[in-house]
Amino acid sequence: MEKILVFGHKSPDTDTIASSIAMAYLQTKLGNTAVPKRLGNISKETEYALNHFKIGAPELISSVSEDDTVILVDHNEPAQSADGIADAHVYMVVDHHRINGFTTPEPVYYYAEPVGCTCTIIYKLFNDNNVVIPADVAGLMLSAIISDTLLFKSPTCTDKDRKVAEDLAKIAGVDINTYGLAMLKAGTDLTSFSAEELVSLDGKQVTLADTVKAKISQVNTADIDDVMTRKEKIEAAMQKDIDSLGLDLDVFLITDIINSNSQVIVLGSRADIVEKAYSVKLENNTAFLPGIVSRKKQVIPVLTSNV
Amino acid sequence: MEKILVFGHKSPDTDTIASSIAMAYLQTKLGNTAVPKRLGNISKETEYALNHFKIGAPELISSVSEDDTVILVDHNEPAQSADGIADAHVYMVVDHHRINGFTTPEPVYYYAEPVGCTCTIIYKLFNDNNVVIPADVAGLMLSAIISDTLLFKSPTCTDKDRKVAEDLAKIAGVDINTYGLAMLKAGTDLTSFSAEELVSLDGKQVTLADTVKAKISQVNTADIDDVMTRKEKIEAAMQKDIDSLGLDLDVFLITDIINSNSQVIVLGSRADIVEKAYSVKLENNTAFLPGIVSRKKQVIPVLTSNV
């Protein structure tokens, strides 16, 4: 088989990068030629993890073509994938998100589980295929689980994620809490980002209930107030997105990963969906959402059912 | 968890029925309450297999509601599923078809492999969960693999299907070839079916390339000429479907399972797609397609790319 390109979603987070690297490694051990790629800039959190375990970042690509064979990890929706994905040959998908808009002309290997992190699933694939996970790759996979579950505090976290993380920590030789808090804190240093960068760092475009074009962005922080001092600039950046992308709804979640709450800034003609979904009144376009930390489990489905 | 309904596609074939029964059994052993269901009449082939291994047919249902939790086997496309499927809670999908139009509001367990038969995948799930397959269930799962791969002769058949079938035959205590030929032959007895029944026995509605509304039906036979003596009545039944379903293309495959060829009858305003796809000229709405036996691998993708 020709070379397989392995990549996760646009605006890559730690799970997307770790999954790409781990899956490319696994495929290579299974006799395929596979290389990890990425569709955007590395976050500070991911950079911390890559540096800690001395692994290089995947090469940046923006598009694929009909000549490419690809493995999608940590995503399936075409809008979140590489440009030209509809023309590429999808060899495999391993994901933990809902399936939406994914289609192939022929049957394909597709494995999704409702767990907190793609790397939890990839760990199972290593075991199923009797491939040993090297310490550095294990460390990176552990970083992904810590990142996606906010150190097991997110409601998306399952027992499987916890058990796999414990096993990976042993292989990697790190203490989960010490390493995890250091990594998460490295990821919350938002000072060097402009408002435009904040709204695109981890921004996902979704169409809610087939009708509402939305963008839902999220940043993690240890200090919501600190981010809110830049509210006006963030709103201006969001308005730019609304105009250029034709959005009906733009949601910016500022998530306090220490206390597990979010402050939300909402713009767009359908801002009412957020008010209805969480029974809150937006004041100056913002509201506090206690206990809300998971975009995938606590935001997208809740907004979808309140369109 | 509440009771889980397990079912395959409309116009159930042996794999759909066997997968429903095997998966419901597996779920029960895993501590869930699960019952197999079916969305249509049992074929003669399936009846032969159920009788041989002394297993009762699943109960017939036609629709599900928002109160139902379901496992889909051997299909994912809403058009092939129970009425009301969009409202039900999908707990799991295990399939070997392309993904098309499947979507859920939340992440879901989804496992698909490009193998010849869903029961080949379910066999792996039994092993993964260390659940022993009883002899009768193993016999039914073997029947599904024989049926979907036409005794390993279909191009959809993989090494995995062969290996799993051999293991299941040992558990069930049958000789694959002797049992398989008898079962396939039982399934090709089409004499008792009206032309209307022939076109709906195993008829799948698909939308090709998002634009062409098509129905692709298939019957297996040991004697193409015998079926073709009823060509005019079959065409009348197909025309009824075109009118009532608003089809652009209606394809009826008569597949010779002994020699691995098909005769095709084609009606509809887009019959040209079949001519283009196989470089044949339809004469009196029919053509011979040497080597074509698999709707999934040799028909749907080929038609799709020739719309």
Side-chain angles (χ1 to χ4, degrees), chain B residues 210-273:
Chain B
D210 286 336
T211 53
V212 176
K213 216 174 158 187
K215 182 178 174 187
I216 301 169
S217 310
Q218 185 169 32
V219 292
N220 290 331
T221 182
D223 187 351
I224 286 177
D225 291 342
D226 184 52
V227 181
M228 286 295 280
T229 59
R230 294 201 267 166
K231 178 165 173 281
E232 278 181 28
K233 284 183 179 169
I234 291 168
E235 286 177 352
M238 290 169 72
Q239 190 58 52
K240 261 192 201 168
D241 271 352
I242 290 175
D243 296 340
S244 65
L245 302 171
L247 302 177
D248 305 305
L249 174 65
D250 197 350
V251 177
F252 184 67
L253 285 162
I254 306 160
T255 299
D256 177 346
I257 59 167
I258 309 297
N259 301 301
S260 299
N261 300 308
S262 290
Q263 185 79 27
V264 71
I265 302 176
V266 186
L267 293 182
S269 60
R270 292 305 311 273
D272 62 291
I273 295 172

Side-chain angles (χ1 to χ4, degrees), chain A residues 94-149:
Chain A
V94 176
D95 190 19
H96 69 134
H97 295 88
R98 74 187 190 122
I99 300 175
N100 191 29
F102 179 82
T103 184
T104 52
E106 295 201 36
V108 67
Y109 182 101
Y110 196 110
Y111 187 22
E113 272 201 67
V115 291
C117 181
T118 308
C119 278
T120 300
I121 306 170
I122 294 177
Y123 171 90
K124 181 183 183 317
L125 299 180
F126 270 91
N127 280 1
D128 282 357
N129 289 286
N130 297 312
V131 175
V132 172
I133 310 176
D136 56 351
V137 176
L140 200 56
M141 291 169 73
L142 170 66
S143 305
I145 297 176
I146 292 167
S147 168
D148 266 15
T149 67

